[in-house]
Amino acid sequence: MVGRDGMRRALSFLSRSRVGYVILVFLMVTLFGAFVLHRVESGENPAMRGFLDALFLALSIESTVGFGSVMVVTTGKIMAMGLMISGISLYASLVGLLAGAIIRGQAERRLEERVERMERELEELRKRRPSR
C-alpha cells in the first residue's frame, strides 16, 4: 500500500518529469480514437459490438500489437493510421522522459556525494590550519 508520502512523491515526479502530461495525452488520444472508431465502425463492422471493443481496438492499434480479433473495415482506417503514429510517438516520448529522469537522478546523487566529500575535506583543512 502506498502511503501519503509515496503518493506525494509520485505526483511530484509526474509533474516535474512531464511523464504525467504524456500519460494524459495518451489517454485522451486513446479515448478520442475509440470514440471515432466506435462511431465509424458500428453497424458496418460485425466484430464491433460496443465501445469496449472500440477501446480495445484503439489500444491494440496504439500499442502496435494489433491482436486481430477486432479489425477496422471502414474509413476508420484513417483514424487507425493516426493512432499508430501517435502511439509510437507517445511511447517514444515516455521512454525518453523516463530515461532522462533516471539519468538526472543519478547525476544529482553523484553531485551531492561530491559536494559532501568536498565539505568534509574543507572541514579537515580548517582543523589543520594554525590559529592566528
Side-chain angles (χ1 to χ4, degrees):
M1 186 94 166
V2 177
R4 203 172 279 192
D5 187 48
M7 184 64 77
R8 193 175 306 122
R9 284 188 359 208
L11 290 174
S12 173
F13 168 76
L14 288 175
S15 174
R16 236 184 17 254
S17 66
R18 294 188 180 92
V19 170
Y21 297 116
V22 173
I23 292 171
L24 181 64
V25 168
F26 180 78
L27 290 173
M28 289 173 31
V29 167
T30 303
L31 288 173
F32 177 74
F35 174 76
V36 170
L37 288 171
H38 184 259
R39 295 284 293 175
V40 172
E41 295 284 315
S42 287
E44 300 289 327
N45 187 344
M48 185 75 62
R49 295 181 303 270
F51 185 76
L52 187 58
D53 287 331
L55 184 60
F56 176 81
L57 180 58
L59 276 171
S60 66
I61 291 170
E62 247 181 334
S63 65
T64 68
V65 171
F67 285 110
S69 57
V70 181
M71 294 177 53
V72 183
V73 297
T74 66
T75 57
K77 290 179 181 183
I78 296 169
M79 184 69 216
M81 289 185 275
L83 284 171
M84 289 174 201
I85 293 167
S86 69
I88 292 168
S89 302
L90 289 169
Y91 282 123
S93 298
L94 189 60
V95 168
L97 287 171
L98 289 173
I102 290 169
I103 291 170
R104 266 192 310 280
Q106 290 173 347
E108 288 173 3
R109 280 192 297 279
R110 283 194 302 263
L111 181 62
E112 288 173 3
E113 290 169 1
R114 189 171 177 194
V115 168
E116 287 174 10
R117 188 178 66 242
M118 291 172 77
E119 287 175 344
R120 282 193 306 270
E121 290 174 2
L122 182 60
E123 189 60 36
E124 287 177 20
L125 288 172
R126 284 183 182 152
K127 288 179 183 176
R128 289 184 199 166
R129 187 177 72 186
S131 57
R132 295 179 181 193

